[in-house]
Amino acid sequence: MRPQTGAAMSLASRKLAAVWPFWASLQGYNTSKALSDVSAAFIVTLLLIPQSLAYALLAGLPPQLGLYASIWPLVFYALFGSSRQLSVGPVAVLSLLTASAIGPVVKAQLASPLEAAVALSLLSGGFLGVMALLRLGFLARLLSHGVIAGFTLGSALLIILTQLYPLFGLSPQGVTVWQLLAPWLGPWPKVQGFALSVGLGCLGFFVVTRLLAAKWLRPMGRGSVERWILRLAPLVLLLTVWALSYQFNGPLRGLATLGPVASGLPAWHWPQLTPALVEALWLPALSIALIGYVESLSMGLALAARARQTLHPNRELWGLGAANLASAFSGSFPVTGGVSRSVVNAEAGAETQLASLLTAALIFLAAAYLTDALPFLPKAVLAATTIMAVWGLLDLSIFRKTWRFSPVDFGSLSVTLIATLLLGVEVGVLAGIASSLMLILYQSSRPHLAELGRLPGSAHFRNRLRHSVELNPALYLLRIDESLFFGNITAVTEAVSRAIAERHALKDVVLVFNAVNHVDYTALHQLSLLEQSLASAAVRLHLAEVKGPVMDALIRADFFAHFSGSVFASTAEAVAALEAKTTPVHT
Amino acid sequence: MRPQTGAAMSLASRKLAAVWPFWASLQGYNTSKALSDVSAAFIVTLLLIPQSLAYALLAGLPPQLGLYASIWPLVFYALFGSSRQLSVGPVAVLSLLTASAIGPVVKAQLASPLEAAVALSLLSGGFLGVMALLRLGFLARLLSHGVIAGFTLGSALLIILTQLYPLFGLSPQGVTVWQLLAPWLGPWPKVQGFALSVGLGCLGFFVVTRLLAAKWLRPMGRGSVERWILRLAPLVLLLTVWALSYQFNGPLRGLATLGPVASGLPAWHWPQLTPALVEALWLPALSIALIGYVESLSMGLALAARARQTLHPNRELWGLGAANLASAFSGSFPVTGGVSRSVVNAEAGAETQLASLLTAALIFLAAAYLTDALPFLPKAVLAATTIMAVWGLLDLSIFRKTWRFSPVDFGSLSVTLIATLLLGVEVGVLAGIASSLMLILYQSSRPHLAELGRLPGSAHFRNRLRHSVELNPALYLLRIDESLFFGNITAVTEAVSRAIAERHALKDVVLVFNAVNHVDYTALHQLSLLEQSLASAAVRLHLAEVKGPVMDALIRADFFAHFSGSVFASTAEAVAALEAKTTPVHT
């Protein structure tokens, strides 16, 4: 009986693996993979604990929420997502978006910061779930690189400006670059001497490790060692200062510390959501869902391609949606697949999401047993950690690159960056989405069209703008280089209408369909109307080089029922036939 | 001196004609054209007076506003627009949208109906002006035929249902099909006996003329006579009943009539616009601007193509914007280029917009001197006029056509129709726009891609889904049939990533660029990232058949700085070179 049961189980297991990526990743799991996963989990946990605390502070929330956001969301992503190496949890940019979204809600007394954060996770998880259900993942593809780069750069600058406050023992204020810069432009705020020293010390340590790593290790070709030193440096700093704090069993000379961290574990609660809260938070939640998905998906795709694994974009929506809902129900704030933590996870050798499950378990233990040790962490050092983490996002070369390549990309980069800095992150996201959308609509409405002429002495027909060709005044040959649909058909009818209005000798119009793979109903309808209009003007419309599937569609739609023109196999054949008709033949 | 002045004037005139379509249309104006314009103006005026009154009532406004909307807007369109035959004024669908928009505003006591209508004209004129300034006319191309047909059909049904009320001497109620049908579904409302007789008489007259025209004239090949009879029939009916009313010098047996029409002429006023009014009306005004522009542009393009004239889509925005602002400042409601009136104008022989200027003057005279005669017009007859006017919009064959052609078009038709009928015209427009937008975004994100294989025994490479071809497991040939930009590049990187994840023998990926006319910065960036990911997976990326301008862009953007693959002139060359590299050669 046993082999039969084994075979049945194996079949069930293979079926399960086909629909459940997590199960698929566990096929062929062995001790070597397990060791890799375990070591990756320990390294990620070490980096994650201070980062999670810092990001919770950045979001304007109690520090333990950072830990909570690194427990259940990891578990749910592991079960529902499709990447093997993505590490989900709080990330800097989403924390900034969270801070910006919950500020006004708290001010209007609609909810406490914690309630607002939970509502935000719930709504963005909901949006991701709806997008997964309706298979709307393609929407996230629609943000141009200029927009994403502008938004990332703006957010990184805002985060660094925000973190200068705790670095110097002050409380941050505002969400735009003006509000954040204002105190430093007037008479300087009252900076605590000792806080300033610690802050400058941290910044100095940060600069020195960066310089040392870049000067000594990179020229020696030790890029990976360099990267690990840069990654672990904040941890060393943190542990040193924390050990000092702990040694003295209290705050060092009035230095602002994390303060009491509520001990205990995330409890599952049904989140409260009032209509007023939904109205105030739906748009920020949608921004968080989109930005989070874009960041996570691009990281996931890159990691999957390197490891020759498959990432399912729609499953990523389910995974991130589940992670955010888990965050909401366990009382925390929005999460996504982070770039830096995922890279660390992958480079530390993670083979499957078991690494993330173990990470979640380790952070669970930290939340349960380390809370007594955490209050002595100086905020200045956490701020230095955050600054080091986002410093890598400050890629200024993008300005030069896009400027050289195209003014449109440079423009959308600049607009998004300026909107993010001056009007806040939310307006930045929305301005970016709106500009991307307008660009897509504009490009959709302008198909590539080429008027063709004869290459002298040949039967070849080429774009008149790129080649020196002969034109026949009685003939208009228009090659359509894209599939036709309602968005771009008007450009074709306008081009033909212009031609017949301008060229009074015109008798025949030939649309060359060799690049048309599909024609929708609107395009077909407009072509019929065009044919009728041309007939009233004594001009005939013809088609050439129509592909099989397009021809089938035209026939099915009765396009030829009232069509007075011809369909030619090639442009050359069309020209030969039409010129023979109009030019008197001398025999 | 005279010839010189003449030449100078002629040069100035030619320069003016190049930038001002109205001036261009007057070049070569002669007595024959003038006679055509004058006769067209008289015919259009005769049809326009009752129609304008009826459409004002449909919009829920005092009847004289219909006349006002047919005076200054015509003048401003003539001066700023570019069509020679388009006739601008109140149209049925915009009147329905106006009624639906001003209803809630009046109910909330934000403004009187007249103030709301003026604000609506001002806002839609403003939107059209802004769209003209930013050259956003392409936005109007983005409504699919299914959406427009669904909206038009739904509006026509709603208009007919609304008009049944005055036809039977009742007051209409509601804006959705349920609200309009409700009174007829329960115990019948108290219908005035005489009103009912007149209403049924009008409907009977309407049906009879339609049947007679269709039965006798169409089979005789007298299509144009048939059309004129159908057009003039309501006028005959109207004049008959009006003459009877006037004869008796009062309402016929309690039959509801138009009532007092304020005498006098449209006065120019600065429109009042409060923030609350803007908030309530901006979305309906945007719908009115878009729907009005789409209707007017499609009509204008068809008329221009028939007459071999040029229509400038952006100038049409200016023309319609100016017409709506003129409507607002002269105290009336939104206007656009109407289909039926423009066809009448064109078929009656209008050669230039002088016909519209004369029409405006004639309606000006009517508003000044006919107002004493108008009050006796029975509302039931005006309702019959409107029903006859919109009957032609009830094209039910569109269901069969789109169903046969594509479920997507059938779906957007049905969704828009149902939303329009059940949720009202505004929701209908918005649902249509949203569904068109989603479709464009979806299509943009899915470029046509084809994996190529070798036609056995040849050097030709074709789509593996359409031809029986040989595939080399070490080689992935992907032909990209569209220009690459941020919206569709992810589809390419996903296809390649899937291929390398699924085919473990894969060593080389060739992207065939023969249909790529343009590559934007995001696409370039993603291709670079893909190349790096593939390199980590020991797969090389190559390009083939790259067009000149695209190659220039790639070089300018330093794409080849870190590129480890090759660029091949043709797919055949790429395959030959890559197979020679990997296959051991036996000598």
Side-chain angles (χ1 to χ4, degrees), chain B residues 58-59 91-101 154-156 158-159 162 175 425:
Chain B
L58 175 57
V91 304
V93 172
L94 291 202
S95 298
L96 184 69
L97 278 165
T98 301
S100 153
S155 302
L158 289 176
I159 290 170
T162 320
V175 291
V425 272

Side-chain angles (χ1 to χ4, degrees), chain A residues 141 145 404 485 522 556, chain B residues 145 404 443 494 522 556:
Chain A
R141 298 179 182 173
H145 185 67
R404 276 175 58 187
F485 78 115
T522 307
R556 197 170 71 240
Chain B
H145 186 67
R404 277 175 59 187
Q443 295 194 337
E494 278 175 18
T522 306
R556 196 170 73 239

Side-chain angles (χ1 to χ4, degrees), chain A residues 152-185:
Chain A
T152 308
L153 191 53
S155 302
L157 284 172
L158 289 175
I159 291 170
I160 291 171
L161 285 176
T162 320
Q163 296 304 302
L164 288 181
Y165 288 83
L167 199 66
F168 295 131
L170 302 165
S171 301
Q173 33 206 326
V175 291
T176 67
V177 76
W178 292 129
Q179 292 167 335
L180 288 165
L181 280 180
W184 308 102
L185 298 176

Side-chain angles (χ1 to χ4, degrees), chain B residues 213-281:
Chain B
K215 275 220 164 166
W216 290 356
L217 293 169
R218 203 182 297 161
M220 289 163 65
R222 304 294 288 276
S224 73
V225 175
E226 176 201 351
R227 284 201 300 277
W228 280 108
I229 286 184
L230 285 178
R231 264 173 218 147
L232 294 175
L235 199 65
V236 171
L237 181 66
L238 202 75
L239 283 175
T240 312
V241 183
W242 170 81
L244 285 173
S245 287
Y246 197 70
Q247 186 66 25
F248 291 104
N249 202 13
L252 287 162
R253 298 184 55 183
L255 191 64
T257 54
L258 205 50
V261 176
S263 84
L265 295 165
W268 281 65
H269 282 297
W270 193 261
Q272 298 295 314
L273 210 56
T274 63
L277 213 49
V278 172
E279 203 188 321
L281 291 178

Side-chain angles (χ1 to χ4, degrees), chain A residues 126-211:
Chain A
F127 277 123
L128 289 164
V130 169
M131 283 166 68
L133 205 63
L134 301 178
R135 308 189 72 82
L136 295 181
F138 69 88
L139 287 178
R141 298 179 182 173
L142 304 177
L143 288 170
S144 77
H145 185 67
V147 163
I148 295 170
F151 177 72
T152 308
L153 191 53
S155 302
L157 284 172
L158 289 175
I159 291 170
I160 291 171
L161 285 176
T162 320
Q163 296 304 302
L164 288 181
Y165 288 83
L167 199 66
F168 295 131
L170 302 165
S171 301
Q173 33 206 326
V175 291
T176 67
V177 76
W178 292 129
Q179 292 167 335
L180 288 165
L181 280 180
W184 308 102
L185 298 176
W188 268 49
K190 223 177 152 237
V191 174
Q192 278 182 293
F194 188 62
L196 184 61
S197 322
V198 173
L200 289 179
C202 291
L203 269 190
F205 175 79
F206 166 48
V207 171
V208 166
T209 46
R210 211 149 251 278
L211 283 179

